[in-house]
Amino acid sequence: MSILYKVQIGAYKEKANAESMLKKLRGAGFDAIIVNQNGYMKVQCGAFENQDNAKKLMHNLEKHGFKDSIIVSVKTETKPKKSVGAQKVFDLMKPYIDSKTAHKDFVKGYNAFIEEYNKKTDSKHGKIGMSNAWCTEFVELIFYKAGYLDLIGYGKRARNLYAIAKEKGTWKSGTDDIIFGDIVIYQDKSGTPNHTEFALGGNKFISGNYNGGVHYRTRKSLGTVKGRIRPKYPKD
């Protein structure tokens, strides 16, 4: 384990208040994010191993009028070497990323997967059409191609993967330690899981069913993240 020091400018119950502060900070030139934790939306800047660097940032924030900031410490796992298993999943996603035919290719591949999966498991899961949402299904297809579907289970919807992960013990709430290879689940205002992405680490993701295809996505806020699944990839 290691400790990172962050500068926290505020913790809010209301999303609008957190986003207002985020906008002010970004307008002043500070790289800030929203972290959803313990029922609060926390607006934070920086992440330093050296506490003195966090103090310097806090003083700089004060000079710009942000006078109520505090330094918070966060325990994190030592940054691991990228898993070969996670890299295999990422490599299988690459042909879809920014491809103009990603949606069409996904539907074709997913329906072939379902046909094969139904035969193997004596199931009757339905195929997918071009009008269906497919963020979670994209992740499932790639894990199937990698031979890792059993690591996340098959559930079709984000809420199903969330339930399966809790049973498997691979679920963790919050956003503190998202790493390469995690499956991040988002939620709506009622807390219901509603979207799935593959994490590249921090606030960078690969998202299916995003802008009509599969694209890299850098999120300014992680306020809608419910948590993440960390698949138990085969040992490298």
Side-chain angles (χ1 to χ4, degrees):
M1 300 291 287
S2 61
I3 295 177
L4 291 179
Y5 298 96
K6 301 181 179 183
V7 182
Q8 185 167 298
I9 299 84
Y12 307 92
K13 280 285 189 181
E14 298 295 328
K15 183 178 180 181
N17 293 335
E19 290 182 340
S20 176
M21 178 57 73
L22 182 74
K23 185 176 181 180
K24 290 177 182 177
L25 286 162
R26 290 186 174 276
F30 293 99
D31 187 11
I33 63 170
I34 296 174
V35 176
N36 192 352
Q37 188 179 50
N38 299 327
Y40 287 89
M41 296 186 183
K42 300 179 179 181
V43 184
Q44 300 175 342
C45 291
F48 306 99
E49 293 182 357
N50 188 327
Q51 189 174 8
D52 288 339
N53 291 331
K55 290 179 179 178
K56 290 177 182 177
L57 175 58
M58 185 172 69
H59 293 325
N60 193 18
L61 284 161
E62 290 175 350
K63 289 179 182 179
H64 284 78
F66 302 99
K67 299 185 181 298
D68 296 323
S69 60
I70 61 172
I71 294 175
V72 297
S73 61
V74 179
K75 291 183 179 180
T76 64
E77 296 178 7
T78 302
K79 189 174 182 180
K81 176 183 176 183
K82 282 188 177 180
S83 162
V84 172
Q87 185 65 46
K88 181 179 180 181
V89 172
F90 176 50
D91 288 342
L92 287 168
M93 287 183 171
K94 286 180 180 178
Y96 294 88
I97 298 172
D98 296 333
S99 168
K100 293 181 179 179
T101 62
H103 191 180
K104 185 185 297 184
D105 294 339
F106 157 75
V107 170
K108 181 179 179 180
Y110 185 82
N111 286 337
F113 147 56
I114 284 298
E115 188 172 334
E116 185 175 339
Y117 183 81
N118 283 345
K119 288 180 180 178
K120 284 185 175 181
T121 61
D122 195 26
S123 303
K124 295 182 180 180
H125 295 291
K127 294 184 177 181
I128 198 168
M130 291 293 288
S131 63
N132 296 109
W134 50 285
C135 58
T136 303
E137 290 89 334
F138 174 68
V139 170
E140 290 174 331
L141 171 62
I142 299 302
F143 268 72
Y144 182 77
K145 286 186 173 186
Y148 297 156
L149 187 61
D150 61 318
L151 302 185
I152 62 172
Y154 175 72
K156 200 166 188 177
R157 296 288 181 255
R159 62 179 180 273
N160 303 125
L161 290 193
Y162 164 67
I164 292 169
K166 294 199 79 173
E167 290 178 2
K168 287 179 172 287
T170 56
W171 175 259
K172 183 176 180 180
S173 298
T175 62
D176 283 346
D177 67 339
I178 295 172
I179 64 171
F180 179 77
D182 284 351
I183 307 303
V184 177
I185 303 293
Y186 297 81
Q187 62 187 344
D188 60 21
K189 292 181 179 179
S190 67
T192 301
N194 66 349
H195 183 61
T196 307
E197 292 178 345
F198 179 85
L200 300 177
N203 64 338
K204 300 182 185 298
F205 308 91
I206 295 173
S207 184
N209 196 26
Y210 174 52
N211 288 340
V214 179
H215 301 286
Y216 291 107
R217 190 170 191 175
T218 300
R219 288 181 174 269
K220 294 180 180 179
S221 168
L222 300 179
T224 59
V225 170
K226 190 173 186 70
R228 56 89 179 140
I229 302 166
R230 182 160 297 165
K232 295 180 180 178
Y233 294 105
K235 291 183 179 181
D236 299 341

